Amino acid sequence: DVVMTQSPLSLPVTLGQPASISCRSSQSLVYSDGNTYLNWFQQRPGQSPRRLIYKVSNRDSGVPDRFSGSGSGTDFTLKISRVEAEDVGVYYCMQGTHWLTFGGGTKVEIK
Amino acid sequence: QVQLVQSGAEVKKPGASVKVSCKASGYTFTSYDINWVRQATGQGLEWMGWMNPNSGNTGYAQKFQGRVTMTRNTSISTAYMELSSLRSEDTAVYYCARAAGIDPWGQGTLVTVSS
């Protein structure tokens, strides 16, 4: 199974400051069709997860442009350019290249 | 809009089975796979498996092989996930989500396993 490792586990951030979450996979996520199936999800307290980013860097409709995804191969990053109060929650990366597996999650909280 | 609406909370005894439903609307049900993901309280997300609503083909995570069955009723655009031989560690919120892109998600169904 592909193991997804996220860091940090917890990320206290000052409002208006940037935040960055790392996600590493135990093997390359490049599929035979040339795509890399790496998604990012946000789960606010008490809510279902919501997809923010698909295929590494594509923002879903309605997702603020302060969220961005980057990376390749086995190394990926989610960045929030300026954290807002509504960004509090747990963020998960997920790979869909070799079946599906999720990272352990990163809790974003306001300092 | 695309929506997945799940059945309500369940309380089951150890050894019993539970069947959770997921009703799709706003798109052609048979055009996208349905995935099932669970989340124990305060824990992360765990993928359980997928089903193709058109063919009925399924794929299950190794951990759940032999205990999980995913089915569908295309006439009512509804997918089902049945988990058998329940134990306390199966207490979790169970989510359905559309396609391999995992979007959108249902609202979740809390399954509590307790004697």
Side-chain angles (χ1 to χ4, degrees):
Chain A
D1 289 4
V2 176
V3 177
M4 304 297 288
T5 304
Q6 280 185 241
S7 62
L9 203 60
S10 175
L11 184 55
V13 187
T14 300
L15 287 173
Q17 292 302 300
S20 180
I21 300 169
S22 170
C23 176
R24 288 185 172 154
S25 58
S26 58
Q27 56 185 280
S28 173
L29 299 186
V30 180
Y31 191 55
S32 54
D33 62 4
N35 287 308
T36 300
Y37 294 98
L38 186 285
N39 298 347
W40 288 96
F41 296 86
Q42 174 195 63
Q43 187 175 31
R44 291 173 171 150
Q47 295 187 12
S48 300
R50 162 202 181 196
R51 196 178 69 184
L52 299 175
I53 303 283
Y54 61 96
K55 287 194 283 185
V56 181
S57 59
N58 297 277
R59 237 182 347 261
D60 272 281
S61 174
V63 174
D65 61 8
R66 64 179 180 274
F67 289 93
S68 64
S70 63
S72 62
T74 62
D75 239 314
F76 304 93
T77 302
L78 175 71
K79 290 182 179 174
I80 310 173
S81 59
R82 295 172 306 281
V83 171
E84 297 189 8
E86 65 178 19
D87 300 336
V88 165
V90 181
Y91 291 78
Y92 296 93
C93 60
M94 183 215 81
Q95 69 82 20
T97 298
H98 313 279
W99 295 91
L100 297 178
T101 47
F102 290 90
T106 295
K107 186 174 185 178
V108 171
E109 54 190 12
I110 305 301
K111 274 185 190 172
Chain B
Q1 77 282 21
V2 176
Q3 202 173 4
L4 299 174
V5 177
Q6 299 182 222
S7 49
E10 304 260 14
V11 179
K12 296 291 182 181
K13 294 199 181 303
S17 296
V18 68
K19 191 170 186 177
V20 178
S21 68
C22 170
K23 183 171 176 58
S25 61
Y27 72 99
T28 302
F29 177 62
T30 50
S31 294
Y32 297 86
D33 291 352
I34 292 286
N35 284 266
W36 290 88
V37 177
R38 77 177 186 180
Q39 184 174 39
T41 304
Q43 302 300 307
L45 302 168
E46 182 176 34
W47 178 71
M48 300 179 69
W50 64 269
M51 181 196 63
N52 181 307
N54 186 45
S55 64
N57 289 345
T58 55
Y60 303 139
Q62 191 166 10
K63 176 176 179 175
F64 299 101
Q65 292 262 7
R67 275 213 305 149
V68 71
T69 306
M70 295 176 188
T71 57
R72 88 288 191 209
N73 182 335
T74 56
S75 67
I76 56 171
S77 300
T78 300
Y80 303 92
M81 185 284 299
E82 184 170 21
L83 188 62
S84 62
S85 303
L86 289 169
R87 34 208 188 231
S88 59
E89 311 89 86
D90 294 318
T91 295
V93 175
Y94 290 76
Y95 294 101
C96 59
R98 189 182 72 160
I102 313 295
D103 180 72
W105 296 57
Q107 84 276 20
T109 297
L110 175 61
V111 175
T112 303
V113 183
S114 173
S115 54

